Amino acid sequence: MKFQAALSFLFIWDICKGFTISGSRSISSITQQPSNSRIYNVPPKNVNEADPASIKDAADREAPPQSFYELGINSVRSAELAILDGNKLIEVEFPPLPAQVLEMDDVSAYDVASANYDLALEFAKSFAAKRNTKGDESNEEKVKVPTNVAILFPDESEMKIVLDKSGGNANPFPGVQISSLRCSDPRDTRFFKPEQTFMTLFGGRSGGVIKPIEGVEMYIIIVASAQELPDVEELHELAPDAVICLYNLKLDVLRGDLGAPAFPPKEFQDRFLSRVKPVYYLRTRQYSRSTANPPFLVNFQGCLFRSYPGVFQTLLDTGTGEYRRIQGNTFKPALGEFKEQLTDRLKSEGVIQEEGGVMSFLRTGYKVTTWWEEPREDASDAWMS
């Protein structure tokens, strides 16, 4: 009850405040934001009314959303642009709940899963709603936006838990259906189904359990773990013409599990995950830096943001509900590189003092990238472009 009341309040508060956190001392208390640092230019809502160069230029400087409503609109537009460019494997990633809610002690994994389901449902509805607003389709070779969408859970048990919790059903909207990657035969009355449990432990094949849904043009995958990602790859092989959207799966975290016992091998990154293009990406990070002079500890945070077809923007949180653009990156920077970009800007403004080479090395170490962020011979660069 406490969680639901707090969640309702914070969602309303989020409409005005966005994703930033102002509870701790931030960089805004030390340095002022330039008057020209606000970012207003946003790609046109109707992507057919502007030329690609104008859309790209506006997306390069698009600001992070100030509400979940704005986020929903912008993420759909970015996904649509990527699909029209021929991309079949796409990623949408952002915090599914306000930061204050995610930090609460009584927020469970199923609360996060329910939030992701609600957001994915609105995302799917936006595509399905285009069924009645299609324009001229005389050019049959032109790439079309998918309008028959399925939201897929990893298995039936997780689907039932979330649907029961949200009070939803398998057909919540015309053109949208809810299902799971692993579906059992309706005539199978077994309570325990090992093919939906043990066969995923080592990233193996489903043995024919994975089957495309007839007529579906786009699959939205939610709440899947690293062990269940091979099922997504198998679905892509069975339905290569369908768009597959990996929705809020935290792929950067799941990649870290690859190669561990009972998980898919690291080669899975090269073979499949490297082909997934991030079309809408918002990830915030918080850091602390000790200094020799007052205030002795500087807390700062930033945001790595991308809205397709724009660049990956490194943004510094000003602590006022807005971000200041540090630079744009053609390729997605590693998290270590992202932190260095923020730190270098603070050094240039005198907020953080320059240190000797030894102290700098002790802070960062000899590597600032993970194994999947390094160049790999058999990997695609789609995941970082």
Side-chain angles (χ1 to χ4, degrees), residues 183-222:
C183 294
S184 58
D185 192 315
R187 297 167 294 180
D188 187 353
T189 59
R190 291 176 299 162
F191 176 76
F192 178 68
K193 302 172 183 177
E195 69 275 10
Q196 292 204 16
T197 305
F198 297 115
M199 292 182 68
T200 64
L201 287 180
F202 299 95
R205 291 286 176 168
S206 70
V209 176
I210 306 298
K211 297 179 181 179
I213 302 175
E214 184 178 356
V216 170
E217 302 166 316
M218 179 179 185
Y219 297 94
I220 301 174
I221 314 298
I222 61 174

Side-chain angles (χ1 to χ4, degrees), residues 365-380:
Y366 77 97
K367 287 186 66 175
V368 294
T369 59
T370 55
W371 63 264
W372 66 85
E373 293 171 326
E374 298 172 348
R376 296 176 65 84
E377 181 178 356
D378 298 326
S380 168

Side-chain angles (χ1 to χ4, degrees), residues 20 110 127-128 130 144 173 189 192 231 248 264 293 304 326:
T20 59
Y110 286 113
F127 283 92
K130 300 179 186 294
K144 298 181 177 63
F173 189 80
T189 59
F192 178 68
D231 289 350
N248 279 356
N293 302 317
L304 183 59
I326 302 302

Side-chain angles (χ1 to χ4, degrees), residues 252-286:
D252 287 340
V253 176
L254 300 187
R255 287 184 174 101
D257 294 330
L258 300 181
F263 285 88
K266 291 183 177 181
E267 187 262 340
F268 183 72
Q269 159 68 13
D270 304 337
R271 188 179 72 238
F272 180 69
L273 288 186
S274 66
R275 298 162 57 197
V276 179
K277 182 178 288 293
V279 298
Y280 196 83
Y281 185 91
L282 189 157
R283 182 169 185 178
T284 58
R285 302 287 288 184
Q286 302 179 45

Side-chain angles (χ1 to χ4, degrees), residues 42 62-65 69-79 280 307:
V42 176
E62 181 179 338
Y69 174 75
E70 182 182 345
L71 184 152
I73 294 175
N74 294 348
S75 62
V76 169
R77 183 193 61 239
S78 297
Y280 196 83
S307 179

Side-chain angles (χ1 to χ4, degrees), residues 114-130:
S114 294
N116 275 321
Y117 166 71
D118 292 337
L119 292 164
L121 179 57
E122 294 304 317
F123 184 81
K125 286 180 180 179
S126 297
F127 283 92
K130 300 179 186 294

Side-chain angles (χ1 to χ4, degrees), residues 19 26 34 39 42 77 129 218 231 239 245 254 261 265 283 287 297 319 326 338 348 383:
F19 291 98
S26 68
I39 310 171
V42 176
R77 183 193 61 239
M218 179 179 185
D231 289 350
C245 176
L254 300 187
R283 182 169 185 178
Y287 304 101
L297 186 67
I326 302 302
F338 168 72
S348 68
W383 74 278

